[in-house]
């Protein structure tokens, strides 16, 4: 079945131009005018941008954490992602010490099987770098197409790995063509500050931020970068939230080191004051790293514009306020860390970034799709509008104004951290490999239609 998208403006990371797009099966087969559209279904994109489907490189669906499980599974989470213009995600597969990597991967495959409505891949957590794990990583890359490895430098006694583990992982990643990701916060310092706060009776949500200061993020980012340089490897710093971390990434990139960084919409538009909302409302804004003082936002926007940071992920990790966030009502350390971001990523970047002149329209595409495709081994199958690429396409109307609200979002959660925020830009329709998932703002996708993405080895983009 052919589809003919006419009347829209194609936007890629490099170009903006008016053209029609012809789809046959799962692929884009022609772009231009006077195309052979015989027998094609006509789709009117007048007034809309035709964007490559978004790639969200940072999600946590159906993930156990803090005695509970994230509220979005692979059906509800990928459905919400599609409504937000995302057609591929890379989710984090957690591992346990003593468990084979393949066993953990099998668990994550089972979580996604029959549920995902868009394509998906996995990052793999490394918590222990013993000989068995290091040997198994080669087959994970070759056979599973999992070419990105996550090491936590925080969450002491839960997820945190030591420097030796990180260093060994970096060396092995260099050998097998994988990109190492770090959650960069100094877990030992945070552990000390947290115990001190609780001992002094400080239990409110705002102390989540006070016990995870920006200096702890900056120090860990610098340490991870130094170990990467020593290993002559490659590093991707997830959810960068503050100027301290940006500065260290900028310095490393100026030296030509193979260092990349990601930030998230929440750090671009929300700030530490949200954690101090009354009546425990601040718990809705507890995630890690925490929200920072507002002035950091301009540093982050500048880093996106100037290429210091390459991607914007959602770090979608949703927990309901009622029954989940409330677990920490008397102890901020028991508030599950994370928030619902997957659906609003593209619109927030367009409304707050493009419309306000902080990034260009082409940079929007690069930050939300193209660069992630290149870094995580999916380009040019994903991440662009081009002949031969997957027909992952978003029809985005730039002029529609709307208000973000939990009453209208599609995430399986009882609040939205951007509640009441007026934004400009709306996803109208979304195609995944040539088939509609969202059409005229209505869900028409199918559970299980999303395919697992075996990704290529890391190459420097």
């Amino acid at each position: 079945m052919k589809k003919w998208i006419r009347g829209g403006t194609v936007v890629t990371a490099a170009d903006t131009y008016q053209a029609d797009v012809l789809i046959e099966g799962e692929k884009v087969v022609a772009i231009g005018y006077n195309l052979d559209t015989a027998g094609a279904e006509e789709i009117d994109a007048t007034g809309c941008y035709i964007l490559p489907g978004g790639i969200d490189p940072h999600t946590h669906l159906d993930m156990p954490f803090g005695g509970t499980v994230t509220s979005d599974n692979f059906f509800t989470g990928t459905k919400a992602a599609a409504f937000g213009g995302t057609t591929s995600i890379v989710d984090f597969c957690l591992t346990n010490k003593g468990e084979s990597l393949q066993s953990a991967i099998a668990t994550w495959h089972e979580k996604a099987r029959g549920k995902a409505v868009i394509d998906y891949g996995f990052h793999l957590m490394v918590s222990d770098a013993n000989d068995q794990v290091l040997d198994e990583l080669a087959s994970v890359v070759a056979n599973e197409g999992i070419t990105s490895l996550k090491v936590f430098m925080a969450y002491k006694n839960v997820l945190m790995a030591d420097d030796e583990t990180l260093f060994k992982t970096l060396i092995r990643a260099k050998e097998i063509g994988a990109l190492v990701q770090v959650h960069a916060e100094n877990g030992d310092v945070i552990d000390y500050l947290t115990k001190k706060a609780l001992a002094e009776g400080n239990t409110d949500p705002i102390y989540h931020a006070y016990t995870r200061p920006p200096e702890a993020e900056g120090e860990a980012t610098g340490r991870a970068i130094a170990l990467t340089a020593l290993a002559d490897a490659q590093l991707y710093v997830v959810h960068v939230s503050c100027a301290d971390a940006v500065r260290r990434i900028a310095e490393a990139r100026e030296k030509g080191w193979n260092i990349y960084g990601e930030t998230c919409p929440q750090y671009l538009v929300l700030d530490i004051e949200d954690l101090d909302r009354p009546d425990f409302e601040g718990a809705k804004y507890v995630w890690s790293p925490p929200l920072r003082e507002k002035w950091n936002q301009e540093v982050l926007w500048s880093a996106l514009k100037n290429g210091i940071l390459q991607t914007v992920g959602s770090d979608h990790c949703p927990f309901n306020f009622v029954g989940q966030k409330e677990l920490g009502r008397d102890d901020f350390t028991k508030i599950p860390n994370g928030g619902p971001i997957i659906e609003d990523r593209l619109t927030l970047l367009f409304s707050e970034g493009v419309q306000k002149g902080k990034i260009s329209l082409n940079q929007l595409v690069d930050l939300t799709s193209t660069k992630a495709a290149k870094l995580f081994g999916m380009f040019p199958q994903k991440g662009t509008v081009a002949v031969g690429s997957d027909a992952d396409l978003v029809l985005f109307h730039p002029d529609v104004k709307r208000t973000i609200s939990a009453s209208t979002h599609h995430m399986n959660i009882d609040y939205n951290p951007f509640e009441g925020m007026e934004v400009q830009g709306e996803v109208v329709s979304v195609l995944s490999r040539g088939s509609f998932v969202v059409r005229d703002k209505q869900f028409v996708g199918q559970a299980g239609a999303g395919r697992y993405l075996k990704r290529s080895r890391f190459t420097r983009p």
Side-chain angles (χ1 to χ4, degrees), residues 181-211:
Q181 304 165 288
V182 286
H183 175 133
E185 292 183 287
N186 188 313
D188 288 318
V189 169
I190 291 167
D191 185 62
Y192 171 82
L193 293 175
T194 298
K195 289 175 179 175
K196 182 173 183 290
L198 292 177
E200 293 171 354
N202 297 317
T203 61
D204 292 338
I206 188 65
Y207 285 92
H208 175 75
Y210 293 160
T211 57

Side-chain angles (χ1 to χ4, degrees), residues 94 223 227 229 237 296-297 336-337 343 388 412 415 432:
L94 299 187
R223 180 160 36 103
L227 293 175
V237 184
N296 287 277
Q297 293 174 4
N337 281 214
E343 188 170 348
N412 184 37
Y415 78 97
S432 171

Side-chain angles (χ1 to χ4, degrees), residues 1 7 10 35 51 61 70 89 92 118 149 161 180 199 228 231-232 302 346 358 392 413:
M1 180 70 182
V10 175
L35 306 177
L51 310 176
L61 302 179
T70 53
I89 63 167
F92 282 95
I118 58 173
L149 310 173
V180 176
T228 303
D232 188 27
S302 178
L346 177 64
K358 295 173 181 175
D392 294 351
I413 188 168

Side-chain angles (χ1 to χ4, degrees), residues 396-413:
F396 184 85
H397 201 301
D399 298 328
V400 175
K401 295 183 179 179
R402 62 189 182 89
T403 302
I404 294 176
S405 176
S407 65
T408 53
H409 74 205
H410 302 86
M411 297 175 286
N412 184 37
I413 188 168

